[in-house]
Amino acid sequence: MDRNDLIRLLEDMSLEEKIGQLVQIPGSFFEDDFIITGPANYINYTGEDLALAGSVLSILGAGKLRAIQKRFMDNHPHHIPLIFMADIINGYRTVFPIPLGQGAMFNPQLSRECAAIAAEESAASGVQLVFSPMADLVRDARWGRVMESTGEDPYLNSVYTKALVEGYQGEGSDNLRAKGRVSACVKHFAAYGAATAGRDYNTVELSDRTFRDEYLPSYKAAVDAGCDSLMTSFNVLNRIPSSGNNYVMRTILREEWGYDGVVISDWAAINELVTHRIAGDEKEAAYLAINAGVDIDMCTRCYCGHLKELVEEGRVDERLIDESVLRVLTLKNKLGLFENPYRDMDEEKEKTFILCDDNRAASRRAAAESFVLLKNDGILPVGNGEKVAFIGPFTDTRELNGSWSIFAGSEDNMTIEEVLRAENLDYVTAKGCRFGADYPLMGMGGADQFDELSPEAEEELLTQAEEAARGAEKVILTLGESNHMTGEASSRGFIEIPRIQQRLLRRVAAVNDNIAVVLFTGRPLDIREISDTAKSVLVVWQPGTEGAGAIVDVVTGKISPSGKLPMSFPYCVGQVPVYYNELSTGRPYSAGNDNKFLSKYIDIPNAPAYPFGFGMSYSAFDISEVRLDKSVLSKGDTIKAEVTVKNTGSVKAAEVVQMYIRDEYASVARPVRELKGFTKIELEPGEERAAVFDINEDMLRFTGADDVYRAEEGMFTVYIGNDSTTENEAKFELV
Ligand code: NOJ
């Protein structure tokens, strides 16, 4: 079909049919076997709503979806196919590390490959559009959804959203029609990650400059990479919820960026304009949302219940509806659905491709690359005949996927214990304790979880752990947050490991202090006690299907860790939000200064426990001083900044070389420094290589005091090193 065919189709459709295209229905209304990802009790769809719907979410399976599609199209007046959408976040059935872990890889190319596998697997099961990437910048470790972001840096996030969109969609014209590809939907527009106090769905208060310069770039990168759909966020911005926010959805998105793709509300977000109290009822909510340019209403009856009446009353111009419908039809056409409504649905491929050896190998590789070594006083790696005990609640668990892997079963994973056995590694294991949520947890299925044990059973596990630790030379202690402690609606006020695990740490340390903690988490945690007690700390996030194998690979030294923190680990929750690219204050504090009236706390340090970009290796690297090929940059020109990196250790390993730039003086307060480039270099022992970065005027732009987005002339400092605190610097001037 070409655009004219689509317009002819549109002209031939009744108003009811057109509105149907703007309605997204949960899969349960077509079939029972589906997963609820939001409140659904108030949706009261009619038979007509279902017969005319434009898209369906959260239902998968090639056979099932083919049958639904056929039945639906046979009964639709214009035989327009549905689009099947789903939350494929860090993999479908082959699960990769959670996005925060993927950020830690500092390897967007590998994420691109993971996304391509996720696309091909889910497409075989009938998915045509995935609700990923989440481009939300995050700074508050209390927010449960930091696990779904790539962290606190606008540049890192932008590089990743681009890579993920390209991974899902492929590149080139007609890419969406290619086999094994899905359309990517970037979310949550905009600034959902800035929820006040880290409480999910809470208010966002941001200055326009911070919003534009730091929060928007990663969504924009996804749009520039060819993303054809975008999801609204639940939060208010400037006190107006996104789904009714003309400034965000029309002025910025459509007018400034020229975006002509589809906008989808988040789950029930149009209806929530009523609970936000900016609409008196669902009809007003529909009015506000359609005017803001929100094309698809996810899972409420606001559009199907009220748009027709609003048009008939003359309050909504039918042309507004037509614009939205045309965008939805255009997306369906880009996906080739008019010619092939069943696309990649393929039962045979579901059997052979999903979880195949190559996909599992990619999961293992990605997991190992995501691990971040925070401390290592000689415990890691283990091996060479050492007596090692693996202790802790994550030693015998298959729950390694993270909370968003709603279509993957943990039965496809191995536990660390099973991997040790399968690889003939003769190590002792002990559970030590339960995960130990300190409060009831609600899973995606809605079930309460509170894994209590009797005091006797608890004591027995702890005693077994002590025995295992006593007989070992080294202890690998697996601790952390379970899947259900992170993700949507999982904000936390205390960001420590559960109390029972703290007890386990103390009991084990009392009998053996050769401890390496392997830390599972979906967010930066306060790990003061762990850092003080353990000699080594390895963060493994929620690592995915092959996570256990990857942990064994890294712990035993087969692979040297190379991950870097994509988000600062705070000293304690009182510092949160703490992030490296903060603005310069009028009273900056530096350690050792005893002036009272500086920007600092009286009881805790300013610096996080572990900063953005930090991560160690089993090897060591020497980074030379920064060389610039010129010290004056004129607009339109490029400076080459270069260092030489040498592996001075004894094992092959990779280092992430990072370039930060500081604008020394500007018309508005600027971040103390900002990441502007990075490269991951793998080196043999003794090998050295140059890391070269280009610097140009584009990279130095920001919104100035006059509201113009441009670079201001003057001095800049460029830092190149292996984390965000490096002082390895050179200076240049922009003229
Ligand atoms: C709500 C979440 O905020 C969003 O990320 C997700 O894609 C939708 N539900 C659909 O499940």
Side-chain angles (χ1 to χ4, degrees):
M1 291 242 231
D2 63 20
R3 194 177 159 78
N4 290 334
D5 297 328
L6 294 179
I7 290 170
R8 269 194 296 277
L9 171 61
L10 179 69
E11 283 166 356
D12 207 36
M13 289 162 76
S14 66
L15 179 58
E16 290 84 345
E17 267 182 81
K18 290 191 225 175
I19 293 168
Q21 289 305 307
L22 312 184
V23 175
Q24 177 160 119
I25 305 236
S28 60
F29 290 90
F30 292 85
E31 233 268 352
D32 286 340
D33 173 15
F34 108 117
I35 292 161
I36 297 181
T37 60
N41 47 354
Y42 52 77
I43 321 179
N44 217 351
Y45 290 115
T46 65
E48 181 173 85
D49 298 339
L50 300 185
L52 297 180
S55 52
V56 178
L57 89 162
S58 245
I59 181 165
L60 290 95
K64 189 196 299 179
L65 296 199
R66 185 178 296 105
I68 291 174
Q69 185 77 301
K70 175 157 189 339
R71 198 174 61 223
F72 179 86
M73 288 175 67
D74 286 349
N75 291 314
H76 190 278
H78 282 92
H79 313 293
I80 299 177
L82 292 160
I83 308 188
F84 294 102
M85 308 191 182
D87 286 292
I88 306 299
I89 311 295
N90 45 306
Y92 169 45
R93 295 282 304 282
T94 303
V95 180
F96 303 101
I98 54 168
L100 196 61
Q102 294 194 36
M105 301 189 309
F106 275 69
N107 186 346
Q109 174 55 27
L110 187 48
S111 267
R112 187 184 275 116
E113 289 164 32
C114 297
I117 292 172
E120 196 167 343
E121 281 196 355
S122 58
S125 282
V127 174
Q128 296 151 353
L129 183 149
V130 297
F131 295 135
S132 173
M134 182 176 108
D136 304 324
L137 182 80
V138 295
R139 291 175 162 172
D140 195 323
R142 293 170 296 185
W143 195 47
R145 294 193 85 166
V146 303
M147 57 79 66
E148 203 184 337
S149 154
T150 48
E152 74 188 33
D153 185 73
Y155 174 77
L156 186 68
N157 289 351
S158 302
V159 170
Y160 268 98
T161 53
K162 175 178 185 323
L164 288 167
V165 170
E166 290 168 358
Y168 292 125
Q169 302 195 158
E171 288 169 74
S173 60
D174 258 6
N175 52 347
L176 285 187
R177 287 175 180 240
K179 246 190 145 20
R181 298 302 189 178
V182 292
S183 182
C185 173
V186 62
K187 65 190 187 185
H188 307 82
F189 201 67
Y192 178 38
T196 300
R199 201 181 76 212
D200 210 355
Y201 318 125
N202 201 11
T203 299
V204 167
E205 277 290 348
L206 274 183
S207 75
D208 201 49
R209 273 193 191 90
T210 305
F211 177 53
R212 284 177 173 273
D213 290 359
E214 290 160 29
Y215 283 80
L216 288 183
S218 44
Y219 307 104
K220 177 76 163 45
V223 165
D224 290 347
C227 211
D228 289 301
S229 61
L230 172 144
M231 190 187 290
T232 67
S233 58
F234 287 123
N235 54 282
V236 299
L237 262 163
N238 211 8
R239 306 204 174 189
I240 301 180
S242 299
S243 301
N245 193 317
N246 282 298
Y247 172 62
V248 177
M249 295 299 163
R250 290 236 179 248
T251 309
I252 295 180
L253 182 66
R254 302 256 186 231
E255 288 162 28
E256 293 181 23
W257 295 4
Y259 174 75
D260 63 357
V262 169
V263 172
I264 306 176
S265 80
D266 200 346
W267 181 293
I270 298 182
N271 184 286
E272 287 170 21
L273 298 179
V274 177
T275 33
H276 274 291
R277 297 193 289 117
I278 72 151
D281 55 25
E282 283 197 344
K283 186 172 165 187
E284 284 313 302
Y287 174 82
L288 291 174
I290 197 76
N291 273 294
V294 178
D295 302 313
I296 296 181
D297 176 5
M298 184 193 290
C299 303
T300 81
R301 288 205 74 251
C302 291
Y303 277 8
C304 49
H306 305 284
L307 278 184
K308 183 167 180 248
E309 208 178 312
L310 284 164
V311 171
E312 285 168 354
E313 287 169 3
R315 290 189 61 208
V316 167
D317 190 332
E318 192 166 346
R319 277 177 300 187
L320 207 55
I321 311 278
D322 288 352
E323 283 172 18
S324 288
V325 176
L326 191 57
R327 288 195 279 261
V328 174
L329 295 178
T330 303
L331 176 58
K332 292 187 175 183
N333 193 37
K334 278 191 175 182
L335 280 160
L337 289 176
F338 290 107
E339 290 79 18
N340 180 9
Y342 309 107
R343 278 187 57 106
D344 289 355
M345 295 170 192
D346 184 341
E347 286 98 321
E348 217 26 62
K349 188 161 181 186
E350 280 184 299
K351 288 190 207 122
T352 54
F353 185 72
I354 289 174
L355 286 163
C356 68
D357 290 350
D358 284 351
N359 298 357
R360 282 181 174 276
S363 160
R364 190 158 176 162
R365 198 154 54 90
E369 271 212 43
S370 74
F371 300 164
V372 184
L373 184 63
L374 294 184
K375 176 177 179 185
N376 196 15
D377 290 343
I379 304 298
L380 294 176
V382 300
N384 299 326
E386 286 172 324
K387 285 176 77 179
V388 180
F390 278 76
I391 300 173
F394 292 85
T395 308
D396 69 349
T397 185
R398 298 201 176 105
E399 302 285 340
L400 304 170
N401 290 342
S403 62
W404 258 125
S405 299
I406 50 183
F407 306 109
S410 52
E411 65 277 4
D412 295 319
N413 305 352
M414 283 169 90
T415 67
I416 293 177
E417 197 167 23
E418 287 165 343
V419 173
L420 293 174
R421 236 179 292 130
E423 304 197 357
N424 293 319
L425 292 163
D426 185 20
Y427 296 139
V428 173
T429 59
K431 187 180 176 69
C433 67
R434 59 197 161 92
F435 288 132
D438 296 328
Y439 33 78
L441 298 172
M442 302 270 286
M444 276 294 203
D448 267 11
Q449 295 198 1
F450 197 43
D451 57 342
E452 272 177 316
L453 280 182
S454 69
E456 297 75 34
E458 201 120 281
E459 183 54 33
E460 195 181 327
L461 287 177
L462 290 166
T463 309
Q464 284 166 3
E466 278 171 336
E467 276 162 27
R470 213 176 268 120
E473 287 163 63
K474 290 179 177 177
V475 175
I476 306 298
L477 195 52
T478 64
L479 302 173
E481 292 187 312
S482 66
N483 291 346
H484 292 287
M485 295 174 79
T486 65
E488 186 173 347
S490 299
S491 297
R492 296 183 65 196
F494 293 108
I495 49 172
E496 296 164 9
I497 58 169
R499 284 192 289 273
I500 183 67
Q501 296 188 36
Q502 294 175 20
R503 272 179 70 196
L504 174 66
L505 172 65
R506 287 173 207 145
R507 294 274 292 261
V508 168
V511 297
N512 187 337
D513 63 359
N514 280 330
I515 298 172
V517 165
V518 170
L519 185 67
F520 292 75
T521 186
R523 56 157 66 78
L525 293 172
D526 168 354
I527 56 167
R528 274 172 295 161
E529 185 172 7
I530 292 175
S531 294
D532 290 346
T533 312
K535 291 187 175 160
S536 303
V537 180
L538 181 73
V539 177
V540 298
W541 314 108
Q542 285 148 345
T545 306
E546 292 289 329
I551 289 167
V552 171
D553 289 343
V554 172
V555 166
T556 59
K558 219 164 156 183
I559 297 176
S560 173
S562 63
K564 300 281 183 177
L565 292 181
M567 206 178 163
S568 308
F569 266 50
Y571 174 82
C572 67
V573 75
Q575 285 184 329
V576 170
V578 60
Y579 45 95
Y580 85 94
N581 43 3
E582 62 182 5
L583 302 184
S584 293
T585 71
R587 295 187 175 196
Y589 169 77
S590 54
N593 190 332
D594 60 5
N595 182 346
K596 177 176 165 68
F597 298 97
L598 297 178
S599 178
K600 64 173 167 51
Y601 303 94
I602 57 173
D603 55 350
I604 57 170
N606 276 9
Y610 298 97
F612 176 85
F614 179 77
M616 299 164 69
S617 145
Y618 293 156
S619 202
F621 297 92
D622 186 58
I623 298 183
S624 74
E625 61 184 30
V626 180
R627 301 183 292 270
L628 302 183
D629 69 348
K630 48 178 105 70
S631 57
V632 176
L633 176 67
S634 34
K635 299 186 181 140
D637 202 1
T638 300
I639 288 187
K640 290 222 175 294
E642 184 176 330
V643 291
T644 305
V645 190
K646 181 170 184 179
N647 181 346
T648 56
S650 54
V651 295
K652 178 175 161 181
E655 179 61 298
V656 179
V657 186
Q658 304 156 42
M659 178 180 73
Y660 298 84
I661 296 184
R662 171 185 174 95
D663 190 342
E664 289 297 339
Y665 173 78
S667 61
V668 296
R670 305 281 349 263
V672 290
R673 59 177 66 184
E674 297 170 289
L675 183 71
K676 292 291 177 182
F678 62 86
T679 174
K680 194 164 197 169
I681 299 184
E682 191 170 61
L683 297 169
E684 296 288 343
E687 191 184 353
E688 62 176 44
R689 204 174 314 151
V692 187
F693 301 94
D694 284 348
I695 302 173
N696 54 49
E697 187 252 345
D698 277 10
M699 298 158 60
L700 310 175
R701 294 187 184 172
F702 62 96
T703 308
D706 54 3
D707 286 339
V708 177
Y709 187 72
R710 62 155 177 262
E712 292 178 6
E713 293 169 1
M715 292 307 294
F716 292 81
T717 305
V718 43
Y719 304 89
I720 305 184
N722 54 11
D723 69 52
S724 59
T725 64
T726 179
E727 293 298 340
N728 190 30
E729 58 159 76
K731 292 201 185 300
F732 68 91
E733 185 180 6
L734 176 72
V735 293

